[in-house]
Amino acid sequence: MKLNIIPDKDGFFGAYGGQYISEELKEEFNRIEKAFLEAKNDSEFNKELDYLLKNYVGRPSPIYFAKNLSKKYGNNIYLKREDLNHTGAHKINHCLGEVLLAKRMGKKKVIAETGAGQHGVALATAAALLGLECDIYMGEVDVIKEKPNVDRMRILKANIISVKSGAKTLKEAVDEAFIAYMKDYKNTMYAIGSVVGPHPFPMIVEYFQSIVGTEAREQFIEQAGVLPDMVLACVGGGSNAIGLFNGFIEDNEVEIFGVEPLGKGEKAGQNAASITYGKDGILHGFKCKLLQDDKGNVLNAYSVASGLDYPGVGPKHCYLNEIKRVKYVTVNDVEAVNAFFELSETEGIIPALESSHAIAYAIKLSEKVKNKNILINLSGRGDKDLAFILENFSR
Ligand SMILES: *Cc1c(COP(=O)(O)O)cnc(C)c1O
């Protein structure tokens, strides 16, 4: 199976993706696409990006054989250590790419939304480094809840715009960031936080995240001597997952699992498992599997891991689900929190609650399969989750 999937000329992966935006904005997005396609073939652009990934982010991130966890569960469990990157997660990979692209296009400012603040911190970091202004839209509820990340962004000189409409969380932040962007797109670049949004953003973010899978495939073969039997990653919008999956998508013998957040359960509004429970719909300018009620109203998404609670999901994941190349499965809050403690206690690695979903699924799989080589994307570290965990789940 040849699966180096790229979108068609209108930005669709099968039935998903596209550009559901105004004609005016389409023209601008076409300029961004053109600039991106030129940049990725430009040796100067790549030289700067490669230098920063190596010496600023600390790539390549290692693959670590989790010996204690492996012994306990009867499988060989390996972790791709994106938690060791500067700023603590995979998001810096695409933020650097997006800000370099914005700079190349002569933009003065980047605009983005953030939920838990992880994307905001990574973007503010890249903007500080590369000398661009940075406006971050964040729901008022999240501004209060995620104070440590808000403090980081302020120190990095980002402007935080506290959004007071609707439920005052991520969805409203995206809505308002988009309105602000449309008023000033000539001088600014929308720097989206995952493989979502109108074409060409899913393609651009995927490109910058694919380094994860490229490195991982080579490292895995070097350490284990074979390809993994199974590859796992958590799926919010889907950027860390697609980055890792791309390294193995053409290896038919590798089983691939995308782990969605089941939150408190399968009832509407209690989870953020968009592929598992969503129906085709349009949100924020693209078509995807979308959590919605019978009338087509977008549901609030919920997960204990705020980086996963988006009601939509990247278009390529919807397509990979449809062609059955990737299996999308779920893990609930309790299972994720248990995995958070399990990895901390057995390996001395505190994972992000998002990444804990992927670890939890490997543990679940271990009830059924033994002696398999399993590779998990450890998308980020759990420092940001400590206060929340101690308050709600301390043992
Ligand atoms: C944001 C985030 C995610 C979810 O985003 P994806 O685009 O689905 O990767 C996962 N893990 C961590 C650590 C994050 O910060």
Side-chain angles (χ1 to χ4, degrees), residues 49-80:
L49 180 61
D50 290 350
Y51 176 85
L52 292 176
L53 289 173
K54 179 164 180 241
N55 302 296
Y56 186 76
V57 177
R59 305 204 70 87
S61 65
I63 274 188
Y64 166 70
F65 174 56
K67 196 169 81 205
N68 303 328
L69 200 66
S70 296
K71 196 166 166 207
K72 183 161 174 187
Y73 290 100
N75 284 300
N76 302 318
I77 300 174
Y78 293 77
L79 307 175
K80 176 65 170 162

Side-chain angles (χ1 to χ4, degrees), residues 228-339:
D229 298 303
M230 292 157 176
V231 167
L232 281 65
C234 65
V235 178
S239 65
N240 88 90
I242 214 81
L244 181 68
F245 296 173
N246 272 359
F248 303 93
I249 208 113
E250 292 180 12
D251 301 309
N252 291 331
E253 65 272 41
V254 178
E255 252 189 292
I256 305 180
F257 295 90
V259 184
E260 293 199 299
L262 185 58
K264 294 189 173 117
E266 61 184 43
K267 274 211 207 107
Q270 305 222 324
N271 64 73
S274 318
I275 293 184
T276 308
Y277 298 114
K279 287 175 291 192
D280 291 6
I282 293 163
L283 178 68
H284 299 140
F286 72 109
K287 194 180 218 181
C288 65
K289 290 281 181 202
L290 183 61
L291 295 172
Q292 46 193 313
D293 65 16
D294 297 338
K295 297 192 187 81
N297 301 312
V298 180
L299 290 166
N300 277 331
Y302 164 80
S303 165
V304 70
S306 20
L308 301 180
D309 65 5
Y310 184 66
V313 61
K316 185 155 160 182
H317 285 290
C318 302
Y319 181 66
L320 289 171
N321 174 58
E322 194 161 282
I323 64 169
K324 299 190 163 63
R325 175 62 188 99
V326 176
K327 285 198 188 85
Y328 292 85
V329 295
T330 59
V331 152
N332 66 30
D333 282 0
V334 174
E335 293 164 327
V337 170
N338 286 339

